[in-house]
Amino acid sequence: MQAASWPAGKKLVHLDLKGAPPRIPYLHRLLELFAQLGADGVLDVARSNGLEVIPLIQTFGHMEFVLKHRSLSGLREMDRCLGTLSPHGEEGPRLVMEMLRQVVELHPGLRTLHIGADEVYMLGDGEESKQWLSTPGHTVEQLFLGHVTRVAGAVKEAWPHLNVVMWDDMLRGMSGNSLKASGLVGLVQPMLWDYNPGLNVEETVSLLEKYGGAGLTDLWAASAFKGSTSVHSSVTPTQRHVDNHLQWLKVVQALPPGLRLLGIALTGWQRYDHMSVLCELMPVALPSLVACLRTLVRGHFGPEVRAEAAQSLGLASVEVDALERTSEADSLFLGRRLAMLIVELAQLLDSEEVRNFESNMFVRGWFSPYHRQRRAVNPLICMQIQSQADTLLNAVEERAAEAREEMVRLFPDSTAQEWMEQHVSPVTGPLRRISEEIGACLSETGPPQ
């Protein structure tokens, strides 16, 4: 089958600002780069460089940023579930509409609004929902649809010119007849997300056909260029994300006549949810973003396209772990030095020597908990262990300090602190503790009795 580029629909870059928001000067330069790379719009950030802005505001699930506050805990579906808004009562919709009003007023000329509505966990498990569901004929599907149609309808009433986009995952299990009768037709545009490099083309096309057949003919796709590998990743695997986009291109090629996508959002998640740890920072993900955009434009990722993507950032390779300590080329690769430092530090932190230091034969054999408790140690071997721990500790701390200094140029101090506590402290803590405990033992103990 001949390769086909992404059709005329828009290519949107998603910026997830619930973690590691770029400093304003860096953000401005990122927007310039996105425009140069061929993006048509941006999710979640102010307009610049002629890019269309589509704010994403969660209105049902993933509302931890609001519902985490004790004063608003009464609006949760269940007290222990911070992310799901209760679909009952008037206070929840009022809160949602106030959030949307503030965002819309901050975006003059806005044409499209994304209301989220994905992963509405534990919906139906709250006491009010259980009581509502006890009525024959009432279903969880209806609970979901009732809230979403209410919010989307209120948006269209307040701002008739706005297109309303929502995530599709809560709709996937619904029948075509349920979708036709849902009240969503003509009200929302589903955005089907799948970040898997092994995305199932046949199932995805079938799902899109179901939506189209139910009257939901204005559809979007969502891929990922970062933030979907694992919850705690620090380095972005470019090829994994390119593979995801190659699968989406196959979906486009397989679409039947009359069914089209309005565009694709290349998501770049910074956290899996508001309460989880940071995913990869933007600088280490830029090679992936460039590679994914070039893949969509050219319709494949052969050697020529791979070389184009690398050259557009002044790199020899788009695999970020192949970065070398070369001069900063900020006009091409924004944050190149930070990306390089993070890759180097991540490689050290994940090395066998560092990660499994407490499990090596010398620590387990001559400085076990038994030896530490009784201060019964072999001084010569323990001094060797201590020297090795100190050497590794110094290497990690030196690289971490260098990375932190660069990180605060592009991100808030709080981001640098969180990143270091997430990735570095769990490694340096045990090394420092072993070194200090050996020092204490050597100062207190004599030869074993």
Side-chain angles (χ1 to χ4, degrees), residues 344-418:
E344 285 188 356
L345 182 55
Q347 290 171 343
L348 177 59
L349 293 172
D350 290 335
S351 66
E352 181 79 15
E353 187 178 25
V354 171
R355 183 62 63 183
N356 298 317
F357 185 80
E358 288 189 285
S359 299
N360 74 42
M361 64 171 287
F362 295 102
V363 176
R364 294 186 66 180
W366 282 272
F367 200 59
S368 69
Y370 176 90
H371 294 99
R372 300 179 205 189
Q373 182 179 357
R374 289 164 176 75
R375 296 296 196 260
V377 299
N378 183 315
L380 180 61
I381 294 182
C382 282
M383 289 173 66
Q384 292 173 341
I385 295 172
Q386 185 181 45
S387 176
Q388 185 184 17
D390 288 344
T391 297
L392 293 174
L393 184 61
N394 290 338
V396 170
E397 289 183 334
E398 179 181 343
R399 284 170 173 78
E402 199 174 1
R404 194 186 197 289
E405 181 180 2
E406 191 67 18
M407 203 174 289
V408 296
R409 289 182 56 243
L410 307 181
F411 299 96
D413 292 349
S414 57
T415 295
Q417 179 179 348
E418 180 180 354

Side-chain angles (χ1 to χ4, degrees), residues 268-294:
W269 298 104
Q270 196 53 69
R271 302 184 192 275
Y272 273 32
D273 67 34
H274 181 77
M275 308 302 291
S276 66
V277 296
L278 292 171
C279 299
E280 316 101 87
L281 298 183
M282 181 59 73
V284 293
L286 281 180
S288 173
L289 175 59
V290 173
C292 293
L293 281 169
R294 293 309 300 165

Side-chain angles (χ1 to χ4, degrees), residues 37-69:
L37 293 174
D40 301 299
V42 180
L43 293 177
D44 290 348
V45 74
R47 180 189 332 220
S48 183
N49 299 290
L51 296 170
E52 180 181 355
V53 180
I54 301 179
L56 167 58
I57 304 94
Q58 293 289 0
T59 59
F60 205 173
H62 284 297
M63 287 191 63
E64 302 95 343
F65 68 104
V66 174
L67 300 181
K68 68 180 181 181
H69 298 290

